[in-house]
Amino acid sequence: MEKSGQRWLPRLLLLAAMSVTPWLLIVYCHRSVFDAPPVGSPHPPSQLHFHSLQEAQLKKLPTTTSARVLSAAAGGGEAHRRSNVVVDANDSDPCRGRYLYIHDLPPRFNADILANCLHWYQWIDMCQYLANAGLGAPLDNADGAFADRGWYATDHFGLDVIFHSRVGQYECLTSDSARAAAVFVPYYAGFDVVQHLWSNNATAKDGTPLALVDWLTRRPEWRAMGGRDHFVMSGRTAWDHQRQTDSDSEWGNKLLRLPAVQNMTVLFVEKAPWTDFDFAVPYPTYFHPAKDADILQWQHRMRGTKRDWLFAFAGGERPGDPNSIRHNLIRECNASESCNLVQCRKGEKRCLVPSTFMRVFQTARFCLQPPGDTYTRRSVFDAIIAGCVPVFFHLDSAYRQYRWHLPDDHASYSVFISEEDIRSGNTSSVEETLRRIPQKVAERMTETVIGLIPRLVYADPRSKLETLKDAVDFTVEAVIKRVNKLRKEMDDQGASSARGDVLVQTAARASRKVRSDN
């Protein structure tokens, strides 16, 4: 009887293993399909009229997007590599779990790009905007629109240098990548793409991104998580980085199409609506405080500002864009005695002067923010800095973009009016909609907007705020939180794989036992 029991035990183990194996295969196939890099994605704009093309792309998107974990093999990492970060055992270390490692890239990826600033555009010398750690020249405050210090002529697409300079003074930097919670890649992607945007040479457009991926994936820092703990910044929109073909005439480069880049966290001033590895950060404004007092004094001033206008709009029409509602807003604003309009026509010099907009925004309760060439506008952040409540007409102008920096309660700091209602005329006028907001509610919204100022400005990289957190602080915290989540998913996936390996090994041993007994 005892021998009979010993004979049947291996067979029972084999049957148990065989019953589990199909489920393991199903789970494995599920992950193989849903965890793999995307085969394709909607085509980006190939011309300057982005807005109408964006609308067409968004209508093709599914209503929900399934979560996925990109394959580490795309970046040269191991599929289930353990990804623990070495941290100091001293729990009192204020930087524990917050350390940041910055790659020391070859100059081709940043310094050499800056050296070519004179040739980025054919019609303007951009080198002037790189002064003062990328902030540009100090602004003259002769008309009192600004404060006497902390205001600069900053280019709205100039975030590459500002962000790098600001990250360089992060309080928890480390030279040991094994201790880092995240890894920053100081590649000036926005400046790189702009120097080739108007060329007809796809090889030149893609040369630096491809070289960057080759350099990164050879590094030991990359192999720790297959690049999932890396993040990179472009001061331009995602539309400039997702060329779909190798056509010389197609707009932009294909940075976002590279599988290794899709493993990283990519930062833009406007993200793509259909991807989950890129995130939007605020446009740089003209305000770059050097210390807490600069922000607190400005907030105090905005709270005391008299807002004589109910609403305001500053901008021009988009006659070549059939989806634009700007002409509707300009017409209504121009006809209203409660709207302050700054209409920017081609060659309008006052629209090139920052104080023009800031004066308008400071004296209005609400500021209209329709889409421009793309869904987002720097003007949104200029208006908020001026204490003006933004009025949005498209969900991708802010709500689906700046989730790390703006409140989840959209109604607490903004007004939303659908642009479809504006086009069709099926809703009340903008003025009537705004007048229905009770005075106390509007004042509370203004206070909320003014309270957002610290997290939306980029502090002067040459100094340091004492206690307040700026846009970079919020961004780095969000990146580390995301990396920690990805790290946990990888570790859980590795543990699951290890359990599966044990079952397979058990089945193999049982099978060998059955064969030997027979």
Side-chain angles (χ1 to χ4, degrees):
M1 186 70 181
E2 185 178 342
K3 288 185 178 180
S4 176
Q6 292 176 346
R7 183 184 184 91
W8 280 103
L9 181 60
R11 286 184 169 87
L12 291 173
L13 289 172
L14 177 61
L15 289 172
M18 291 176 65
S19 67
V20 172
T21 301
W23 293 105
L24 291 174
L25 290 174
I26 290 172
V27 173
Y28 174 79
C29 292
H30 175 83
R31 283 180 172 170
S32 297
V33 173
F34 290 100
D35 291 359
V39 175
S41 60
H43 295 280
S46 58
Q47 53 182 308
L48 289 176
H49 299 304
F50 290 117
H51 184 48
S52 58
L53 291 168
Q54 286 174 312
E55 279 299 322
Q57 301 302 344
L58 282 182
K59 291 177 181 177
K60 299 178 183 178
L61 294 180
T63 56
T64 59
T65 303
S66 60
R68 60 181 173 82
V69 179
L70 291 170
S71 170
E78 298 173 14
H80 303 297
R81 183 183 180 90
R82 295 290 293 178
S83 53
N84 295 335
V85 172
V86 177
V87 296
D88 196 323
N90 182 6
D91 289 339
S92 64
D93 180 5
C95 290
R96 189 173 187 267
R98 301 172 55 223
Y99 281 109
L100 191 67
Y101 178 84
I102 302 179
H103 268 301
D104 184 15
L105 296 182
R108 171 181 182 179
F109 302 113
N110 40 48
D112 289 353
I113 295 173
L114 294 186
N116 193 42
C117 59
L118 185 62
H119 306 289
W120 291 351
Y121 296 95
Q122 295 180 357
W123 55 88
I124 188 173
D125 175 11
M126 289 299 295
C127 300
Q128 60 184 312
Y129 293 100
L130 301 179
N132 298 307
L135 306 182
L139 286 173
D140 181 14
N141 192 34
D143 55 4
F146 314 116
D148 290 333
R149 66 183 183 188
W151 292 79
Y152 297 84
T154 304
D155 180 59
H156 65 301
F157 286 144
L159 198 52
D160 296 47
V161 171
I162 298 172
F163 194 89
H164 183 198
S165 300
R166 178 63 185 78
V167 167
Q169 49 145 246
Y170 178 66
E171 61 182 350
C172 293
L173 296 179
T174 179
S175 58
D176 181 4
S177 63
R179 303 182 68 197
V183 178
F184 178 54
V185 181
Y187 163 48
Y188 295 165
F191 291 150
D192 178 39
V193 71
V194 78
Q195 61 186 346
H196 302 294
L197 275 180
W198 291 271
S199 74
N200 289 317
N201 189 328
T203 301
K205 294 176 183 178
D206 298 331
T208 310
L210 290 172
L212 176 73
V213 165
D214 181 67
W215 188 89
L216 285 174
T217 54
R218 295 173 185 270
R219 302 286 302 178
E221 297 87 359
W222 182 271
R223 291 192 290 272
M225 287 184 66
R228 290 182 183 85
D229 55 350
H230 285 48
F231 67 106
V232 66
M233 146 72 60
S234 169
R236 295 189 67 88
T237 72
W239 304 99
D240 295 330
H241 297 280
Q242 48 183 339
R243 200 183 75 250
Q244 302 292 302
T245 72
D246 289 328
S247 169
D248 287 335
S249 60
E250 191 172 350
W251 182 265
N253 64 27
K254 57 181 180 182
L255 177 73
L256 282 185
R257 300 285 295 164
L258 303 179
V261 173
Q262 295 175 7
N263 271 14
M264 295 193 280
T265 298
V266 188
L267 309 176
F268 297 108
V269 293
E270 178 177 336
K271 75 178 298 294
W274 50 77
T275 50
D276 58 4
F277 59 89
D278 63 327
F279 297 83
V281 298
Y283 281 85
T285 64
Y286 304 108
F287 185 30
H288 303 283
K291 52 186 180 180
D292 288 5
D294 296 340
I295 297 177
L296 298 175
Q297 290 170 8
W298 181 257
Q299 288 178 303
H300 178 74
R301 174 176 164 180
M302 290 303 97
R303 290 187 178 101
T305 298
K306 186 178 180 182
R307 302 185 182 273
D308 295 323
W309 300 92
L310 175 64
F311 63 118
F313 175 66
E317 294 187 14
R318 292 294 186 270
D321 185 352
N323 286 315
S324 178
I325 61 169
R326 287 187 169 214
H327 63 282
N328 303 77
L329 301 180
I330 290 173
R331 183 169 60 248
E332 178 176 344
C333 186
N334 195 39
S336 171
E337 295 182 354
S338 300
C339 184
N340 192 1
L341 174 65
V342 178
Q343 186 171 358
C344 296
R345 299 179 178 86
K346 188 175 182 179
E348 188 100 19
K349 290 186 178 181
R350 65 172 178 163
C351 290
L352 302 176
V353 180
S355 60
T356 299
F357 302 105
M358 293 305 295
R359 282 199 306 271
V360 170
F361 297 155
Q362 289 171 25
T363 57
R365 179 69 67 185
F366 300 97
C367 290
L368 309 186
Q369 302 294 344
D373 292 327
T374 62
Y375 289 128
T376 63
R377 302 180 73 199
R378 175 214 185 120
S379 174
V380 170
F381 300 98
D382 289 335
I384 291 177
I385 299 305
C388 191
V389 177
V391 180
F392 297 117
F393 301 87
H394 198 288
L395 295 176
D396 282 303
S397 289
Y399 303 151
R400 294 172 179 166
Q401 294 284 340
Y402 309 103
R403 295 177 176 177
W404 290 349
H405 299 80
L406 294 177
D408 292 333
D409 183 3
H410 304 149
S412 68
Y413 72 93
S414 67
V415 177
F416 181 76
I417 303 173
S418 171
E419 63 179 4
E420 291 296 334
D421 290 338
I422 297 295
R423 290 193 198 96
S424 63
N426 293 332
T427 187
S428 303
S429 69
V430 172
E431 181 173 348
E432 290 173 343
T433 300
L434 297 179
R435 287 198 180 281
R436 284 200 295 266
I437 300 175
Q439 180 68 19
K440 289 186 177 179
V441 173
E443 291 175 354
R444 189 161 59 243
M445 295 170 74
T446 300
E447 178 59 32
T448 300
V449 163
I450 294 173
L452 293 174
I453 292 176
R455 68 171 68 186
L456 301 181
V457 298
Y458 294 90
D460 190 330
R462 299 163 299 176
S463 58
K464 188 172 180 60
L465 300 179
E466 294 88 353
T467 61
L468 297 176
K469 295 180 180 180
D470 75 343
V472 173
D473 291 318
F474 275 85
T475 301
V476 171
E477 286 181 2
V479 168
I480 290 176
K481 182 178 180 179
R482 179 173 189 266
V483 171
N484 286 338
K485 181 180 178 182
L486 294 174
R487 183 178 288 114
K488 185 179 185 302
E489 290 175 358
M490 290 180 67
D491 289 347
D492 290 347
Q493 190 179 49
S496 176
S497 176
R499 289 192 294 270
D501 290 344
V502 170
L503 286 172
V504 171
Q505 292 169 8
T506 301
R509 285 196 299 269
S511 179
R512 288 195 297 271
K513 178 65 175 174
V514 170
R515 288 198 298 271
S516 65
D517 289 345
N518 290 335

